[in-house]
Amino acid sequence: MEYVTEPILLVVVVVTALAFDFTNGFHDTGNAMATSIATRALKPKAAVLLSASLNLVGAFLSLAVAATIAKGIVDAGVVTLPVVLAGLVGGIVWNLLTWLFGIPSSSSHALIGGVVGAVLAAVGTDGVIWSGVISKVMLPALIAPVLAIGVGALGTWMVARITKDIPEDTNSRMFRWGQIGSASLVSLAHGTNDAQKSMGIILLALIAGGAVDESSGVPFWVVASCAIAMGLGTYLGGWRVIRTLGKGLVEIDSRQGMAAETSSAAVILLSSHFGYSLSTTHVATGSILGSGVGMPGAKVRWGVAGRMFTAWLVTLPAAGIVGAACLWLDEAIGGDAGSYVVFGLLVAVSTAIWLVSRRKPVDHTNVNDEWEDASTQVAEVVATHDPAALATVGAGPAPSGTAATTHRTDDQDGRA
């Protein structure tokens, strides 16, 4: 009986890994396209289509990060299919929760946290390659945002100084074209880094399921399926996170947008070359913050940045707790049935989060509405006696009928 059910479980795990790749795509679209959409250098739908296409191409360019995930974080010899499934559930649930609240949290760290938590629950600390976690995950997580802020601030300051005597409308026209190029480069870089994380997880599952041996590389069908899944997820847009990065963090113009995106692409591509499992979210957010710091007179919403930093700090342990809990539930039920129950719970939780998000949708038609601070939104929501709406405070446009919704421009949907 085990011979019959094991291949089915392997298929479930692979499908779940592709589902994570899909959530990674829509969660991280804003990393590349938020500033271009906010400055209207690109129409929203055109931006996500361009990003999806380049993510697809980028996934085929490098496999260094896939090797890091598959063989550099946990001991592949102790990993089983239930462990991989539990880790994926931890990553997906955290991705969906942070997307619901419009928080640009790290999909990479959610995945790694989920897998490490599941391995710790399964075999203890001996199953984790701590040197790999520290050198390939923790150190880049600390260094990358700081580096991105510095590079973004310096680049923005230089651009602002060079163009200070040029009329604003001329700057906007010139740098919008530059934004399109730099945003495209970030999308390509994202594909070279993030799509490989799911490739590495699927390779782990194939090794655990006995389909390939531990010395195997990533099969081509895995590369292709992960590239497609991420491309599809990117095309959906992830509008809630795009809105936070484009409108909530910094009041941004085309010069800042190009400087931020160029900084992000440089840091991400460098990390992919060395096989670091870098969070593109950390880099993109740091670059956008840097563009606010480097632009004289720019407004940076440090309260929004603080909420992001808090989410970053708890991503690894939160996803790890979910991964560990799922593995304990799996083992408590026993057999393949436990894994199927865990998968069913993932479907139920994902559906519930999606239904909550529909109460206050964010899409290409309202992603550029004027941003309103969360404190003001809370007061207005409470005044409407609709506690359920609090779930989306700060993630989308202001409640209907408030001042913020009256500030929409004629080109709000991206028409210049």
Side-chain angles (χ1 to χ4, degrees):
M1 187 67 176
E2 182 69 16
Y3 178 82
V4 176
T5 58
E6 188 72 10
I8 298 175
L9 180 56
L10 179 58
V11 170
V12 169
V13 173
V14 170
V15 168
T16 307
L18 293 176
F20 172 83
D21 208 26
F22 182 83
T23 66
N24 191 345
F26 74 69
H27 199 284
D28 288 2
T29 310
N31 297 346
M33 292 300 172
T35 59
S36 295
I37 292 172
T39 62
R40 295 179 172 82
L42 286 168
K43 295 180 181 180
K45 281 290 190 180
V48 296
L49 178 60
L50 177 61
S51 185
S53 301
L54 291 170
N55 265 300
L56 184 69
V57 173
F60 288 93
L61 297 183
S62 171
L63 293 176
V65 175
T68 296
I69 294 292
K71 302 172 183 179
I73 303 298
V74 296
D75 182 357
V78 303
V79 174
T80 62
L81 289 179
V83 167
V84 177
L85 178 62
L88 285 167
V89 172
I92 292 173
V93 169
W94 185 253
N95 268 358
L96 292 176
L97 284 173
T98 49
W99 163 78
L100 176 65
F101 289 97
I103 300 174
S105 180
S106 171
S107 298
S108 309
H109 290 180
L111 176 63
I112 293 169
V115 172
V116 169
V119 169
L120 287 173
V123 297
T125 57
D126 291 340
V128 179
I129 304 174
W130 294 107
S131 60
V133 172
I134 293 171
S135 64
K136 298 286 189 177
V137 180
M138 300 302 296
L139 288 180
L142 296 173
I143 296 171
V146 176
L147 179 62
I149 290 173
V151 174
L154 178 61
T156 302
W157 179 82
M158 292 176 63
V159 168
R161 187 172 180 82
I162 292 170
T163 61
K164 64 180 180 179
D165 296 325
I166 299 176
E168 184 177 346
D169 59 340
T170 303
N171 274 331
S172 295
R173 286 196 299 271
M174 289 192 306
F175 282 95
R176 283 184 181 185
W177 287 106
Q179 271 195 281
I180 294 173
S182 57
S184 299
L185 190 58
V186 174
S187 293
L188 188 68
H190 183 265
T192 68
N193 196 286
D194 277 44
Q196 296 178 53
K197 291 155 190 171
S198 294
M199 297 178 200
I201 288 296
I202 293 177
L203 181 58
L204 261 181
L206 294 174
I207 293 171
V212 300
D213 59 50
E214 290 190 34
S215 61
S216 296
V218 181
F220 178 79
W221 69 266
V222 174
V223 177
S225 59
C226 287
I228 292 170
M230 174 161 284
L232 288 173
T234 302
Y235 181 68
L236 285 184
W239 304 108
R240 308 175 87 83
V241 178
I242 289 175
R243 175 167 170 75
T244 300
L245 281 173
K247 303 295 290 186
L249 196 58
V250 175
E251 293 293 339
I252 201 164
D253 66 18
S254 295
R255 293 175 296 172
Q256 292 168 266
M258 194 189 81
E261 290 157 359
T262 304
S263 302
S264 297
V267 175
I268 295 168
L269 286 171
L270 188 64
S271 73
S272 293
H273 175 73
F274 289 106
Y276 290 113
S277 181
L278 192 68
S279 166
T280 55
T281 301
H282 289 185
V283 174
T285 305
S287 296
I288 292 172
L289 274 174
S291 75
V293 172
M295 177 62 73
K299 178 182 179 182
V300 179
R301 295 188 177 91
W302 292 108
V304 176
R307 291 193 290 274
M308 292 180 192
F309 294 149
T310 300
W312 294 359
L313 289 174
V314 302
T315 293
L316 281 168
I321 289 170
V322 175
C326 287
L327 186 70
W328 287 327
L329 175 62
D330 189 317
E331 292 178 343
I333 296 173
D336 288 349
S339 296
Y340 299 144
V341 169
V342 169
F343 180 75
L345 284 174
L346 171 63
V347 173
V349 170
S350 301
T351 301
I353 293 173
W354 180 80
L355 290 174
V356 171
S357 75
R358 293 300 85 200
R359 295 175 179 174
K360 192 177 182 183
V362 181
D363 56 28
H364 69 283
T365 65
N366 61 2
V367 69
N368 268 343
D369 280 6
E370 291 298 320
W371 183 269
E372 188 166 352
D373 290 335
S375 58
T376 305
Q377 289 190 36
V378 168
E380 290 167 343
V381 168
V382 171
T384 65
H385 305 289
D386 183 13
L390 287 171
T392 52
V393 164
S400 177
T402 66
T405 59
T406 65
H407 293 171
R408 296 176 63 154
T409 60
D410 291 337
D411 63 343
Q412 172 215 307
D413 63 350
R415 294 188 296 272

